[in-house]
Structure formats: C-alpha cells, structure tokens
Amino acid sequence: APIIENVTLVLQARQRAQRSEALRRIASLTSSSATTDEVLRYTVQELARLMQADVAAIFLFDETRGVLRLHSESIFGLQGEASEPLFYLYVDEAQFHFTVTGSLKPFLSGRLSEDQRLLSVYRPLFEKLGMESTIIVPLAVREKGLGELLLAAKKSDFFNNYDLQVVSTAAGQLAPVIVGAANSTRTDESLRQR
C-alpha cells in the first residue's frame, strides 16, 4: 500500500509541475510580441493537450449581432466541416445573462447528456459533437464578458475542479490580450475615419 501511495504522490507532483509549466508558457506568450490570433491559438492548443481534451475553442462575444462567434484560429480537435456546429452560438437577450460570458461564472459538467443546468444555447453543440464533459470559463476584464474558453471531452466525468482552476487562470491571462486587440482595432478605425 505505501508503494502505491508513493506512486500516486509522484504522479500528482508531476501533473502539478506540468500544469505550472503550461501556465508559465501561456503567461510568457501573452506578454510576447505574438499576434492576438497566435496567442489565442497556441494557448488553446497548450490547454487542450494539457487537459487531454478532444475539442477546445474560444468564442468571442459580438455585441452588435448578439452571438458568441467562434475564433476560428483557436479551434482544436476539429477539422473543416466538423467545426461548423461551432461557428456561432446564437444567444437571445433573455438567455445571455445565464451564459458563461454573461454571468461571468464558469461551467463544469461531467454528464452533459443528463445535466439540467446546460443552457439550450450550448446543448446542440455538445450533442452534435458527441461530448459528455466540459469546462467553459469566461474571458472577462473589469466585470465585462468578452467571450469564453471551452474545452470538451467525449468521456464522462473527465474534468475536475483542479482542471477548472487551471483553465480559469489561463483565461485570466488571455482576456487582456483580447481587450488590447479590440482597442487597437478601434484606434485604427478612428484614424482611418479622420
């Protein structure tokens, strides 16, 4: 029994070290000269591999259209037409405040097919992709939802609260990058108009 406990402790320490190193790489990337698309793409890839997710992506909230729009550069685990269910998540105003982006509350589920908390805006996505577990965390700055980071797996009960904590930390590092890109775009448009 002590040998098994020691092996378990060694595996847990190794896993914590891998997660710490992944978060360090993400922090380094967010402060680098990489483009926003590169930062989002490589961060999602890093997290998906670390968490062994089948699918991962970032959705950005488009206020003018009222949709959560897939950031196509960030998609992990799907190719071509298989990613079509992800392009847009249509959210009406009444439901928006209950989404991860609107509520600023993360969502963790290990049995999506049975989970009554899953909003109708997300259900078709997970059904089409055959996913059973998910972590969805908000991308937010100053209590304003910018979008959400989604990881999903086909296996039930695949993610845990520690995974949620790691993904939330990474999302906190990504949000300022998204705001910076949006501000830069607005400044460029303003200069063009002048």
Side-chain angles (χ1 to χ4, degrees):
I3 293 173
I4 293 172
E5 287 176 21
N6 286 342
V7 168
T8 302
L9 288 174
V10 168
L11 291 175
Q12 287 173 348
R14 196 174 290 158
Q15 185 181 47
R16 280 194 296 275
Q18 288 172 340
R19 290 173 181 212
S20 294
E21 181 59 24
L23 288 174
R24 187 201 60 74
R25 283 192 299 270
I26 291 168
S28 177
L29 182 62
T30 59
S31 62
S32 73
S33 62
T35 67
T36 303
D37 288 342
E38 290 170 337
V39 170
L40 298 181
R41 178 177 54 241
Y42 293 123
T43 298
V44 168
Q45 288 175 4
E46 181 82 35
L47 288 171
R49 288 184 183 119
L50 178 68
M51 299 296 166
Q52 300 174 355
D54 294 315
V55 173
I58 289 178
F59 291 88
L60 299 174
F61 182 56
D62 183 341
E63 293 180 58
T64 58
R65 296 178 59 197
V67 296
L68 285 163
R69 181 185 44 80
L70 172 69
H71 179 265
S72 58
E73 295 286 321
S74 72
I75 196 160
F76 175 89
L78 294 176
Q79 303 293 322
E81 290 182 17
S83 65
E84 276 184 39
L86 293 176
F87 287 161
Y88 295 101
L89 297 178
Y90 294 96
V91 184
D92 62 30
E93 281 189 50
Q95 249 191 344
F96 176 72
H97 297 291
F98 298 105
T99 65
V100 170
T101 301
S103 69
L104 302 179
K105 293 179 182 167
F107 181 78
L108 171 68
S109 178
R111 300 202 180 269
L112 290 166
S113 59
E114 301 170 9
D115 198 330
Q116 298 300 312
R117 300 171 304 140
L118 185 64
L119 293 177
S120 61
V121 69
Y122 298 112
R123 193 166 297 282
L125 166 73
F126 292 119
E127 287 175 355
K128 285 179 186 173
L129 297 176
M131 298 296 148
E132 198 54 41
S133 297
T134 193
I135 294 175
I136 310 173
V137 297
L139 297 165
V141 171
R142 294 189 199 110
E143 301 299 314
K144 181 178 189 231
L146 308 170
E148 47 200 59
L149 171 58
L150 176 146
L151 286 94
K154 292 181 180 182
K155 292 181 185 175
S156 297
D157 299 318
F158 192 71
F159 302 113
N160 60 40
N161 284 323
Y162 186 57
D163 298 331
L164 176 62
Q165 183 180 8
V166 170
V167 175
S168 294
T169 301
Q173 294 172 350
L174 284 178
V177 173
I178 295 167
V179 168
N183 289 342
S184 176
T185 301
R186 274 190 231 113
T187 300
D188 289 348
E189 288 172 6
S190 174
L191 290 173
R192 275 190 222 117
Q193 289 175 354
R194 289 181 191 171

